[in-house]
Amino acid sequence: MSDQSTESSPSLSASSSPSSAPSPELSKLDLGADISEEDKQEALRLKAEANKAFTSQNFKEAATLYTASIEKNPNEPTVWCNRAYARMKLEEYGYALADATQAIKLDPKYAKAYYRRATCYMQVMKPQSAVADFKKILALEPQNDTVRMQMVSTQKLILEGEKDPVVRCREIIEEGGCDIDPSYNGPKLPSENGKFHVSLEFIQDMIKWFKEGKTLAKRYAWEIVIGAYEQFIKEESLVNVDIPEGVTCDVIGDVHGQFYDVLHLFSLTGPPSEKNYLLMNGDLVDRGSWSIEVILLAFAYKWLYPKYMYINRGNHEAKDMNRTYGFEGEAKHKHGEQAYKLFAHVFTCLPLATLVSATKPPATKDNSILSPEGRRRFFVVHGGLFSKDGVTLEDIRKIDRVGRQPGQEGLMCELLWTDPQEFPGRGPSKRGVGIAFGPDVTKRWCDLNGVTGVIRSHEVRQNGYEIEHDGLCTTVFSAPNYVDQSGNKGAFIRIDSTGDRKYTQFEASPHPPMKPMAYVQGGLGSLMM
């Protein structure tokens, strides 16, 4: 295993964009034209090459080859459906939805295309449309119990409303409904005068317990989540973190339930402390099958060190994503229905962004955009910037987030879902939610708010990070070999009191033989992998 560090460089591009080519405009394809036999054969050859690339998990290359096949023969629905699947692997659900829709137009009885489209609708938070497609599949395949289960699960999602489970969990504890089983012999939270508190020794014992494949007592899990909740609820939607002299702050990207990689990551950063703060930038859960272990560890540190441990919300700290990508099933399996409801509510209390500010002037003069006080400062957010100019830090600070899901539009949605694009201006999101924003958008926003740069996560980068938009936008991703198949490195960014940045990369760590998304409900696990 090799870990390496590199100094920051505004011109450094650590990886190419993960996006596949945009969907070709249908108007440019003559769907009614006669296709020569030669073009049909070439289209089949390209499809076979694309299938090989897909099997090798090179999804970007597969999407490109499927595109070439479509250009030779746009009338073959299976190629459109296959490209939709490749784009789903790239998390480009907006593009995938359009491809699946075209496959359905070409073959209205193509059940797999309806399945692909239903899954995309779920990812772009349109569960009603997903249910309509599930019903169409069942009309074609009445015995498909997997789809029937998923339809019922999605209908339940539509009917559910937000409640405050923190109050209910406290009531259950008071009623004696969550006492610790006398046979439990794992780590125990210390208590004083009948009230639990957390200690570093408990966290260390909890890590050992988790590494043995064991589950924490439900009562202790509840206490950790509620303990963290009591800290999050005190924080605004935009948190200010100042870095004093002699202190550093490590910004960590998506970790997605990869507990053994998180342990290695924390061995590199060190635990949160008065000399080194940690900021986890969303998407702690889903995909990986140790999301409970990851989130309980992060929340325990937040409870113990509220001024040294910070956690932003990601687009996966949301109920619709948790249902699809495994956290709901894992939470219910390990700690029960009420625990999942507790997590789901506390996720809504996570701050939406953090402003990390240096307290000393830059060590060397450059063209950095500085705060009004002449200091570097960084806007750390899971997704990115906005569909309109003029959004201020104060606008973000005032967002009413508690008890709310991101939705499909508005500032909260865009903070959690948007992505940078190479070209100026704004464009449609490849994901089907949020937008894509160009370097000119980033420059205007940073100038308006006196921000040195945007640090965001939300996308795999093969080298763990990428500096974009003339140095004003940096993506950091901290889940190496994402879902056991991407082969990428992880990284984190260390910021010091002058605003200098250092990038550390790390490789994936071995883990027990459990597949990603092992707890996905409703039979979607293999599809979403």
Side-chain angles (χ1 to χ4, degrees), residues 7-64:
E7 296 300 328
S8 64
S9 168
S11 62
L12 178 64
S13 179
S15 71
S16 60
S17 169
S19 174
S20 66
S23 293
E25 294 292 332
L26 292 181
S27 60
K28 297 179 181 178
L29 295 173
D30 190 351
L31 299 178
D34 290 333
I35 309 299
S36 69
E37 192 60 34
E38 181 181 357
D39 280 348
K40 288 181 181 179
Q41 291 303 313
E42 178 63 7
L44 288 173
R45 186 191 70 79
L46 289 165
K47 176 186 175 184
E49 288 298 312
N51 290 344
K52 288 180 183 177
F54 189 97
T55 302
S56 300
Q57 300 180 346
N58 189 344
F59 304 123
K60 184 179 178 182
E61 178 66 14
T64 300

Side-chain angles (χ1 to χ4, degrees), residues 226-477:
I226 293 172
Y229 160 82
E230 290 173 346
Q231 303 304 323
F232 294 130
I233 207 70
K234 298 174 187 175
E235 296 177 332
E236 295 180 298
S237 291
L238 174 63
V239 174
N240 289 331
V241 175
D242 295 331
I243 309 177
E245 185 173 4
V247 175
T248 54
C249 177
D250 291 340
V251 180
I252 295 166
D254 304 35
V255 295
H256 276 299
Q258 297 183 194
F259 177 65
Y260 293 86
D261 293 314
V262 169
L263 294 182
H264 178 52
L265 169 61
F266 283 178
S267 76
L268 301 175
T269 63
S273 71
E274 61 182 351
K275 292 297 184 183
N276 186 55
Y277 306 159
L278 298 186
L279 168 53
M280 301 188 77
N281 195 27
D283 281 14
L284 281 72
V285 301
D286 280 340
R287 296 283 198 182
S289 294
W290 292 275
S291 290
I292 283 289
E293 288 76 5
V294 168
I295 198 67
L296 285 178
L297 177 57
F299 278 9
Y301 275 136
K302 181 64 180 179
W303 188 14
L304 181 62
Y305 300 127
K307 296 302 180 185
Y308 309 146
M309 181 69 172
Y310 298 91
I311 305 172
N312 285 340
R313 189 177 186 181
N315 67 306
H316 276 266
E317 278 75 44
K319 293 179 79 170
D320 47 9
M321 303 301 280
N322 294 160
R323 177 152 296 175
T324 302
Y325 286 101
F327 180 71
E328 178 181 348
E330 182 180 347
K332 290 178 177 179
H333 175 80
K334 293 178 178 177
H335 295 293
E337 175 88 23
Q338 188 62 37
Y340 170 67
K341 292 180 179 179
L342 178 62
F343 276 112
H345 180 69
V346 174
F347 285 166
T348 73
C349 304
L350 296 175
L352 303 176
T354 301
L355 189 65
V356 177
S357 301
T359 57
K360 296 181 63 181
T364 56
K365 289 187 177 181
D366 56 20
N367 294 322
S368 294
I369 300 169
L370 302 178
S371 72
E373 298 76 26
R375 307 288 187 263
R376 289 175 179 157
R377 59 182 184 178
F378 302 91
F379 180 68
V380 184
V381 63
H382 182 72
L385 299 180
F386 310 99
S387 58
K388 61 181 181 180
D389 288 339
V391 177
T392 66
L393 296 173
E394 193 60 28
D395 292 332
I396 298 163
R397 201 181 312 279
K398 290 178 178 178
I399 294 173
D400 183 10
R401 72 189 191 276
V402 175
R404 299 177 183 271
Q405 298 299 326
Q408 298 178 60
E409 59 184 9
L411 294 185
M412 187 192 302
C413 170
E414 291 169 358
L415 286 164
L416 302 189
W417 275 95
T418 58
D419 296 299
Q421 65 179 20
E422 181 180 351
F423 304 105
R426 294 178 172 90
S429 169
K430 59 179 178 266
R431 301 174 188 269
V433 182
I435 60 152
F437 60 96
D440 56 328
V441 175
T442 305
K443 178 69 162 59
R444 288 196 301 272
W445 190 85
C446 289
D447 281 334
L448 172 67
N449 288 284
V451 166
T452 307
V454 175
I455 298 176
R456 44 89 63 180
S457 301
H458 195 39
E459 291 182 285
V460 182
R461 291 295 190 257
Q462 283 304 115
N463 287 332
Y465 71 99
E466 182 176 6
I467 300 171
E468 306 168 79
H469 291 187
D470 300 316
L472 292 179
C473 180
T474 301
T475 298
V476 60
F477 194 83

Side-chain angles (χ1 to χ4, degrees), residues 197-242:
H197 61 274
V198 69
S199 66
L200 182 58
E201 181 181 8
F202 169 82
I203 293 175
Q204 292 168 340
D205 289 343
M206 183 177 71
I207 291 171
K208 294 177 184 176
W209 188 250
F210 286 159
K211 288 172 72 174
E212 293 172 5
K214 298 178 180 178
T215 302
L216 202 63
K218 180 168 66 175
R219 174 65 179 278
Y220 293 148
W222 286 18
E223 293 286 349
I224 290 170
V225 179
I226 293 172
Y229 160 82
E230 290 173 346
Q231 303 304 323
F232 294 130
I233 207 70
K234 298 174 187 175
E235 296 177 332
E236 295 180 298
S237 291
L238 174 63
V239 174
N240 289 331
V241 175
D242 295 331

